[in-house]
Amino acid sequence: MILFWRVLKQQLDLAYEHKTAWLNPLLFFALVTLLFPLALGASTSNLAAVAPGLVWITALLATLLSLETLFRDDVADGTLELWCANQPSLLVYAYAKLSAHWLLYCLPLVLISPLLAYSLHLPMVALAVLMLSLLLGSIALVWLGAIGVAITTGLKYNSFLLALLVLPFYVPVLIFGASAVEITTQGLSAAGPLYLLAALAVLAVTLAPFAVAKALKLSTS
Amino acid sequence: MNPILKWCYQLAVPHILYPRIQAWLPWVALVTFSLLALGLYLGLAVAPADYQQGEAFRIIYVHVPAAWLSMAVYVAMALMALSVLVWRIQVAELALVASAPIGAAFTLIALITGAIWGKPMWGAWWVWDARLTSELILLFIYIGIFVLYDAIEDKRQAGKAVSLMTLVGLVNIPIIHYSVTWWNTLHQPPSLSKFDTPSIHIDMLIPLLIMLLAFKLLYLLMLMLRMRLSLIERQPQAAWVKALIKPATTGDKP
């Protein structure tokens, strides 16, 4: 546990050195959201109808893009190989690394999402549910995506491959996340999809690190 | 040692597996093609036309076996992946990689025949029905698996990475299977899962069961053909491969 906090703090300190890195996914999120009214027309009712899906897809792609460099530096300077020498500490490393990533890149997305969703005319009542669904969903996205990142670490051209490997597993998260927001706008309770999202997040957090550790071992050997 | 167990263990040894494939191949091919011919004849010519769907229902004799195999091949691949990661069996790695394109092909056949059937029945080539969608996702998972194998240069490492990915993807299979009951959509509920009170006439059921068996054997046949090649490709310098090629080359010399 002490190790976990130390790795987490180290990751956050490293991020503090590169002060603008955490902004990148946010800017991507905001810019792509800006593109939708330009392509679909600025009509309030049109945008409001598709807003839950648009916000969710954009947040999902921003998360996927942010994940790509997750282990790159640690592979380059050889840190990862040292972590791979010991299975229990490799798991702790994976947990800390992913937690730090989520805090740095996904939490800001969750916080800014109501603003962007509101700009797409999503009804006010659904904003809280949107945040909650993204909060739970992004945890599942990061932990699931990390498996794909770990497997493709060390490959030269991995962006498309990463998307090909990871997007199929993102489908349930997207379905439940977007439908939670969708049914709230229809005035119904979103409890069902939110519970399912929470279940997916718990499942991913519990099981994915084992796959991540295994994949990291494979790609460094 | 128990002779049956020993026989199974020997499947993991390349130089024993190769001659075994050679010996079995003609027999498997014979049974597969006779069953395919019999099933197609019974299904297309003998079985009565459906009172609602007319002759168009006959596509199920290709569609259902292909759709079933698209999932069964994945389960087989997951078992192979387990043998790679737990027992480090190299042959299972080759079988897994050989299975992925076959599984993808069956998935594609299921999707295309489904579209052909869907056009007259539902009035559209494609609808975003839960089951169709998950079948499409399965296709992408299959493609992801062999693209990943291709992208990693060290093939031993690639085999293990692919095995890991297969096991992770296994989570998707139950979602596909139960999506029929989860989402109440356009797709028909399965007509085969309840054997005690089948919702399909016995004259239609028998050709379908024959076709299911024939498609399973077809998978086995294609797997054997691909394995025969990849066994040699993986270890071209092995003694048994050299011994295999030798008689042919010396025979050519005058």
Side-chain angles (χ1 to χ4, degrees):
Chain A
M1 206 59 206
I2 298 167
L3 186 61
F4 173 83
W5 291 115
R6 272 169 60 185
V7 179
L8 187 68
K9 186 172 178 302
Q10 180 209 20
Q11 291 297 321
L12 296 178
D13 287 346
L14 276 175
Y16 189 73
E17 295 292 311
H18 307 276
K19 287 197 177 55
T20 55
W22 64 278
L23 269 174
N24 291 338
L26 273 185
L27 289 173
F28 176 85
F29 194 20
L31 270 170
V32 175
T33 308
L34 165 79
L35 295 180
F36 288 129
L38 297 179
L40 301 173
S43 136
T44 307
S45 57
N46 272 356
L47 281 178
V50 286
L54 294 183
V55 176
W56 250 94
I57 290 176
T58 316
L60 183 147
L61 291 179
T63 309
L64 185 65
L65 271 179
S66 74
L67 276 171
E68 207 184 304
T69 53
L70 188 59
F71 300 112
R72 189 195 280 165
D73 293 344
D74 287 2
V75 171
D77 63 13
T79 323
L80 190 63
E81 230 163 301
L82 294 177
W83 283 111
C84 286
N86 183 328
Q87 172 75 14
S89 69
L90 181 59
L91 273 178
V92 176
Y93 163 81
Y95 269 110
K97 191 90 185 161
L98 294 178
S99 309
H101 186 90
W102 184 80
L103 283 174
L104 282 168
Y105 299 109
C106 292
L107 198 57
L109 288 183
V110 175
L111 294 177
I112 203 182
S113 63
L115 187 67
L116 296 176
Y118 185 71
S119 78
L120 293 175
H121 304 294
L122 189 74
M124 290 288 249
V125 285
L127 293 183
V129 172
L130 175 74
M131 280 183 81
L132 194 56
S133 72
L134 276 175
L135 190 76
L136 293 168
S138 61
I139 295 175
L141 294 181
V142 167
W143 261 259
L144 277 175
I147 302 172
V149 181
I151 282 188
T152 54
T153 292
L155 298 183
K156 257 184 198 161
Y157 309 104
N158 61 8
S159 328
F160 289 106
L161 185 59
L162 178 64
L164 178 63
L165 291 178
V166 165
L167 283 181
F169 304 135
Y170 278 2
V171 167
V173 183
L174 180 70
I175 288 175
F176 296 131
S179 72
V181 184
E182 177 74 41
I183 63 177
T184 314
T185 61
Q186 293 165 1
L188 301 165
S189 159
L194 285 178
Y195 282 136
L196 285 167
L197 264 185
L200 286 176
V202 170
L203 196 68
V205 170
T206 327
L207 292 180
F210 292 95
V212 171
K214 181 79 193 167
L216 286 178
K217 265 190 174 171
L218 283 178
S219 48
T220 51
S221 64
Chain B
M1 194 198 277
N2 182 335
I4 299 174
L5 264 180
K6 190 181 174 193
W7 191 89
C8 291
Y9 284 139
Q10 283 175 342
L11 287 179
V13 188
H15 70 268
I16 301 182
L17 180 61
Y18 187 88
R20 229 173 245 181
I21 291 179
Q22 286 287 49
W24 280 63
L25 204 54
W27 299 106
V28 174
L30 185 72
V31 176
T32 308
F33 288 118
S34 356
L35 275 178
L36 264 182
L38 179 69
L40 282 177
Y41 171 71
L42 286 179
L44 298 184
V46 176
D50 188 79
Y51 80 99
Q52 216 175 8
Q53 305 180 0
E55 304 289 344
F57 96 96
R58 294 186 195 280
I59 203 163
I60 66 160
Y61 294 119
V62 180
H63 176 72
V64 173
W68 191 341
L69 263 193
S70 68
M71 288 175 246
V73 168
Y74 200 92
V75 175
M77 280 168 59
L79 291 176
M80 293 165 193
L82 208 63
S83 355
V84 173
L85 292 177
V86 178
W87 298 290
R88 296 165 192 251
I89 302 174
Q90 223 192 109
V91 169
E93 219 174 280
L94 297 176
L96 169 65
V97 176
S99 296
I102 306 175
F106 281 126
T107 314
L108 201 60
I109 292 173
L111 281 170
I112 292 172
T113 51
I116 296 170
W117 179 85
K119 182 63 184 161
M121 294 304 147
W122 295 340
W125 293 104
W126 180 260
V127 284
W128 288 101
D129 158 77
R131 220 169 170 210
L132 293 182
T133 314
S134 32
E135 193 74 7
L136 189 63
I137 296 166
L138 184 64
L139 178 65
F140 282 119
I141 293 179
Y142 274 124
I143 295 174
I145 286 171
F146 61 78
V147 170
L148 178 66
Y149 184 76
D150 220 42
I152 304 178
E153 271 169 28
D154 176 1
K155 289 305 167 201
R156 287 308 314 266
Q157 192 197 325
K160 284 178 190 151
V162 160
S163 309
L164 186 63
M165 208 61 213
T166 309
L167 286 184
V168 175
L170 189 64
V171 182
N172 197 50
I173 297 282
I175 298 179
I176 292 176
H177 208 79
Y178 292 108
S179 58
V180 188
T181 37
W182 282 357
W183 288 287
N184 187 19
T185 52
L186 283 168
H187 205 285
Q188 299 190 328
S191 31
L192 266 187
S193 56
K194 24 181 184 174
F195 270 108
D196 42 356
T197 52
S199 53
I200 175 170
H201 190 270
I202 192 77
D203 288 344
M204 295 176 177
L205 182 64
I206 288 171
L208 186 57
L209 292 178
I210 293 175
M211 284 303 281
L212 281 170
L213 190 62
F215 265 60
K216 285 229 161 65
L217 286 169
L218 191 61
Y219 162 59
L220 188 66
L221 181 66
M222 289 195 279
L223 182 62
M224 285 164 85
L225 284 170
R226 291 179 63 87
M227 280 295 285
R228 200 168 59 155
L229 182 63
S230 55
L231 279 172
I232 293 179
E233 258 182 356
R234 177 59 73 96
Q235 299 175 310
Q237 298 300 321
W240 67 271
V241 178
K242 284 183 176 160
L244 202 73
I245 299 168
K246 221 176 190 174
T249 47
T250 48
D252 284 346
K253 280 176 189 166

